[in-house]
Amino acid sequence: MSNDKRGLSATTIAKFVQVSYSTGWLMLNKLRKAMADRNGLYKLGGNVQVDEFFLGGESHGEGRRGKGTKQTNVLIGVSISNGAPTHCFMEVIKDTTAKSPKDVFMRRLDSDTKLISDGNPSYGVCARDLGLAHSITLSKDEQAHVTFKWLNILIGNCKKFIDGTYHGREEHKQLYLEEFAYRFNRRHFEMSLVERLLNTCVFASPHPLLRESDSKMALAYET
């Protein structure tokens, strides 16, 4: 759970720990909730590239992808230093109007942040309202693919992670995003990842038992 970038399914942990599927599913979700608690303690600062992407396949019966569909909107922020990514956050948002990103930025970004975006007007509004510096590189610009290289890599890796291990499940997507971000942000601590995750669990707030129906639904997706 702490080392494998592909994560673990409940069927896998149930097999190796020799517990029931429901117990394995509950264990993993409690770990993810602990990761989410720890992620929430930190804010990104400096140069932060922001964008939104969509999780899920083509919307049923609509024949299209992205905005205007029933796919899940996700806001991503990646702090960049010396041309390389340092930390990231990913959060499910209701829509891509200015209010949803602004609520996330207030919780996830330091006041010294400089937003770097592709020109989405919502980010300009957020930067103005929050007093943040803001620079724009339009998607059609020749250097856009270089500027947003790491942002696009993280989006691609996250989609593969969720679609590959969890088959694009709609429920609990925020927890999967928190798991991805938690591991990415600690990727340089290879020798202490297990200890760090155990420490995260010890100091996490208690989480109530999740519904049994959730674990049954998860099993149906995994099988």
Side-chain angles (χ1 to χ4, degrees), residues 21 165-171 214-223:
Y21 175 85
T165 303
Y166 305 119
H167 305 287
R169 287 197 59 219
E170 184 65 31
E171 285 195 280
D214 286 338
S215 64
K216 292 179 179 179
M217 184 179 297
L219 178 60
Y221 273 92
E222 290 189 3
T223 57

Side-chain angles (χ1 to χ4, degrees), residues 148-175:
F148 298 117
K149 170 186 174 182
W150 287 108
L151 184 73
N152 293 328
I153 287 176
L154 258 67
I155 291 174
N157 288 347
C158 181
K159 287 183 175 181
K160 290 178 182 177
F161 160 64
I162 293 181
D163 289 340
T165 303
Y166 305 119
H167 305 287
R169 287 197 59 219
E170 184 65 31
E171 285 195 280
H172 310 297
K173 272 206 174 117
Q174 184 59 45
L175 289 181

Side-chain angles (χ1 to χ4, degrees), residues 15-192:
K15 173 183 176 182
F16 284 101
V17 184
Q18 296 185 344
V19 295
S20 69
Y21 175 85
S22 295
T23 299
W25 184 88
L26 181 61
M27 290 168 64
L28 290 178
N29 267 309
K30 283 182 174 287
L31 285 168
R32 294 183 191 111
K33 285 180 176 291
M35 290 174 167
D37 283 354
R38 184 54 60 95
N39 288 345
L41 297 178
Y42 304 102
K43 293 185 176 183
L44 272 59
N47 295 322
V48 178
Q49 296 180 357
V50 295
D51 200 359
E52 70 278 351
F53 64 97
F54 302 89
L55 287 175
E58 189 173 279
S59 296
H60 297 295
E62 297 187 31
R64 62 182 189 273
R65 299 171 64 88
K67 295 180 180 179
T69 73
K70 294 181 180 179
Q71 294 174 310
T72 302
N73 297 327
V74 178
L75 178 65
I76 178 175
V78 183
S79 57
I80 302 293
S81 178
N82 297 320
T86 57
H87 300 84
C88 76
F89 71 77
M90 298 180 182
E91 186 163 328
V92 173
I93 55 176
K94 181 179 180 182
D95 52 49
T96 55
T97 61
K99 184 180 185 308
S100 292
K102 180 180 175 181
D103 290 342
V104 176
F105 292 158
M106 290 177 65
R107 290 183 283 102
R108 301 276 194 173
L109 299 179
D110 277 334
S111 59
D112 67 345
T113 297
K114 177 183 178 180
L115 290 183
I116 304 172
S117 76
D118 62 1
N120 185 325
S122 295
Y123 301 136
V125 173
C126 292
R128 182 199 65 202
D129 292 349
L130 298 176
L132 304 176
H134 182 210
S135 68
I136 295 173
T137 299
L138 297 176
S139 300
K140 63 182 179 181
D141 291 349
E142 291 185 3
Q143 291 299 310
H145 69 286
V146 175
T147 301
F148 298 117
K149 170 186 174 182
W150 287 108
L151 184 73
N152 293 328
I153 287 176
L154 258 67
I155 291 174
N157 288 347
C158 181
K159 287 183 175 181
K160 290 178 182 177
F161 160 64
I162 293 181
D163 289 340
T165 303
Y166 305 119
H167 305 287
R169 287 197 59 219
E170 184 65 31
E171 285 195 280
H172 310 297
K173 272 206 174 117
Q174 184 59 45
L175 289 181
Y176 300 149
L177 295 171
E178 298 286 1
E179 177 186 345
F180 181 91
Y182 179 93
R183 270 196 301 266
F184 176 81
N185 292 342
R186 291 158 183 81
R187 64 197 182 280
H188 298 305
F189 299 103
E190 294 181 357
M191 301 304 296
S192 60

